[in-house]
Amino acid sequence: MTRSPVWHPFTQHALEPPMKRIVATEGAYLTDENGHRMLDAISSWWVITHGHRHPTIMQAIRTATETYDQIIFAEYTHAPAEQLARGLIEIAPAGLQHVFYSDSGSTAVEVALKMALGYFHNSGTPRNRIVVMEHGYHGDTIGTMSTGARGVFNAAYEPLLFGVDQLPFPEPGDEQATLAAFETYCKSGGVAALLIEPLVLGAGGMKMYDAKVLAGLKEIASRYGCLFIADEVMTGWGRTGAMFACEQAGILPDIMCTSKGLTGGALPLAATLCTGEIFDAHLSTDRRKTFFHSSSYTANPIACAAAVANLEVWRTEPVGERIHGIGQFHRTRLSRFEGDKRFANIRQAGTIAALDLKVPAGGYLAEVGPRMRALFRERGLLIRPLGNVIYLMPPYCVSESDLDRAYDAIDEVASTVLGQG
Ligand SMILES: *Cc1c(COP(=O)(O)O)cnc(C)c1O
């Protein structure tokens, strides 16, 4: 067979086995070309919330295609975008009153950064410093890489990345250091915004921190007139147990980014929500104050219709109960690993469970992820550890027996990799 021209994301083609071809998806499962079913225990990179091909969402997509394709979104609007914006405002933290559409998590964050700088620029009090948290991840564009953790993933692009101020990760018991660092940055002036993943730093290794830290950071931001940008791209749509993670800290962000679960994972779409104050700073008879951002596929009507259907699923199905059940199941199975010498930092937030495999030091770490991935795959499980961090983030339709199987596999795979099995 000739080699495929496709260049896959985050894939070292010289080391990876050939890509497995998926021919169908349903519920919590992917089916490959040999008819083998794989449990999608990471929701296809965190996007699938209710399950693959939820009937309500797929029907809404079919219906939308009878009427729409892409429609220019400057000068024109359409019902799916209008309906979705109203629906989002209704469920989002109070104070968020406007919705700007784009098409991925990265673009939602880029939009947020531009809104923040635009707000201060248009108000005649320019500020341009961005504060972020250590181990953060906000996307893979040059702008969002600049705000994320630096490392092997962006070393080649480093010369183009802009500087940001970084807060230490709030390790348990040392949260005060994070708050103090933020206050110091704010005091020194020019801080436009804090950009942060609330409660869980996803790509940075499913690192979890206390809601009190978020509340503390928000309090400081408000005191210094610095905007609070919640990157809820991963944490939104129930992942941490609440609709949006910010709710758990009782905070109201000035800007909120959402994408992954916005359409239930069926189609690409993103939204950046902001307060009336930020919108108003761009509202002027002076055209120079316009918010200068657009992408060709802004507010794609079919994607918006899928997102409207997602809202309907949340309204009409016991999604909260499913999430609660998954959380309880995680706690039960994780408790069996407490005190297990193979694991450290056993943690959970809502539907997300994570634990670190204690790998002996010495260059071995980089190989451990791919090795575990292959062992999980052999067992019919899609689980992609982040280095030595094993995590589960299943779609909400997952069954207890599926989760049981995933935990049994973690047990086995950990022993195999550590050479104890
Ligand atoms: C995935 C992710 C992004 C980037 O989203 P894309 O759709 O992949 O561009 C941004 N922020 C967070 C917190 C994410 O998890």
Side-chain angles (χ1 to χ4, degrees), residues 83-351:
Q83 215 181 327
L84 176 58
R86 283 185 172 75
L88 287 174
I89 294 304
E90 220 168 274
I91 61 163
L96 298 173
Q97 293 175 1
H98 297 273
V99 177
F100 192 96
Y101 291 113
S102 62
D103 33 44
S104 74
S106 300
T107 56
V109 174
E110 294 276 355
V111 164
L113 294 171
K114 287 175 71 172
M115 278 180 179
L117 263 70
Y119 167 78
F120 287 105
H121 177 84
N122 289 354
S123 308
T125 52
R127 295 189 186 193
N128 51 35
R129 288 170 66 197
I130 303 294
V131 180
V132 300
M133 187 177 274
E134 184 188 6
H135 304 301
Y137 177 81
H138 301 286
D140 273 338
T141 56
I142 294 290
T144 56
M145 275 193 298
S146 300
T147 60
R150 309 290 168 93
V152 64
F153 301 112
N154 42 42
Y157 328 115
E158 181 80 32
L160 285 186
L161 305 186
F162 57 78
V164 294
D165 296 311
Q166 189 176 274
L167 303 178
F169 179 79
E171 298 291 353
D174 211 15
E175 290 92 347
Q176 212 48 45
T178 305
L179 297 178
F182 186 42
E183 179 132 26
T184 303
Y185 287 135
C186 286
K187 258 194 194 135
S188 64
V191 175
L194 170 68
L195 167 65
I196 197 164
E197 296 164 86
L199 297 188
V200 186
L201 309 190
M206 295 299 152
K207 292 176 78 72
M208 302 180 185
Y209 63 93
D210 202 281
K212 285 200 287 288
V213 176
L214 269 187
L217 290 171
K218 171 65 190 165
E219 187 275 319
I220 295 167
S222 302
R223 205 145 31 82
Y224 288 90
C226 149
L227 298 176
F228 190 102
I229 306 174
D231 178 355
E232 293 255 14
V233 170
M234 186 281 278
T235 52
W237 304 101
R239 287 294 178 198
T240 73
M243 181 63 98
F244 296 106
C246 281
E247 292 169 26
Q248 306 204 36
I251 57 165
L252 308 176
D254 301 293
I255 301 178
M256 184 179 95
C257 308
T258 179
S259 183
K260 292 183 170 127
L262 174 56
T263 60
L267 286 173
L269 183 67
T272 307
L273 280 67
C274 73
T275 59
E277 205 182 336
I278 292 167
F279 179 83
D280 288 348
H282 292 83
L283 192 62
S284 169
T285 51
D286 181 352
R287 287 190 189 277
R288 287 172 304 178
K289 293 193 172 182
T290 303
F291 185 53
F292 292 110
H293 191 93
S294 146
S295 36
S296 307
Y297 285 101
T298 296
N300 176 267
I302 300 164
C304 287
V308 170
N310 173 42
L311 291 177
E312 185 189 330
V313 173
W314 277 89
R315 265 195 311 271
T316 56
E317 295 187 20
V319 184
E321 275 168 47
R322 289 174 196 150
I323 288 170
H324 183 74
I326 293 169
Q328 267 185 328
F329 196 86
H330 279 326
R331 282 189 291 278
T332 306
R333 283 300 309 247
L334 285 176
S335 69
R336 292 204 217 158
F337 290 139
E338 287 297 343
D340 191 320
K341 291 194 168 43
R342 297 171 299 169
F343 302 113
N345 297 325
I346 297 172
R347 56 203 185 272
Q348 178 251 343
T351 67

Side-chain angles (χ1 to χ4, degrees), residues 22-50:
I22 298 302
V23 297
T25 63
E26 185 172 17
Y29 281 89
L30 310 176
T31 305
D32 73 14
E33 59 191 327
N34 303 315
H36 295 138
R37 276 161 37 101
M38 305 262 305
L39 175 66
D40 187 354
I42 59 162
S43 300
S44 278
W45 259 346
W46 322 344
V47 301
I48 301 294
T49 46
H50 311 294

Side-chain angles (χ1 to χ4, degrees), residues 30-75:
L30 310 176
T31 305
D32 73 14
E33 59 191 327
N34 303 315
H36 295 138
R37 276 161 37 101
M38 305 262 305
L39 175 66
D40 187 354
I42 59 162
S43 300
S44 278
W45 259 346
W46 322 344
V47 301
I48 301 294
T49 46
H50 311 294
H52 286 278
R53 289 196 302 115
H54 188 289
T56 306
I57 295 171
M58 300 316 278
Q59 185 55 48
I61 292 170
R62 277 191 291 274
T63 305
T65 61
E66 304 280 326
T67 321
Y68 305 108
D69 54 6
Q70 178 65 26
I71 302 165
I72 183 171
F73 206 59
E75 210 180 324

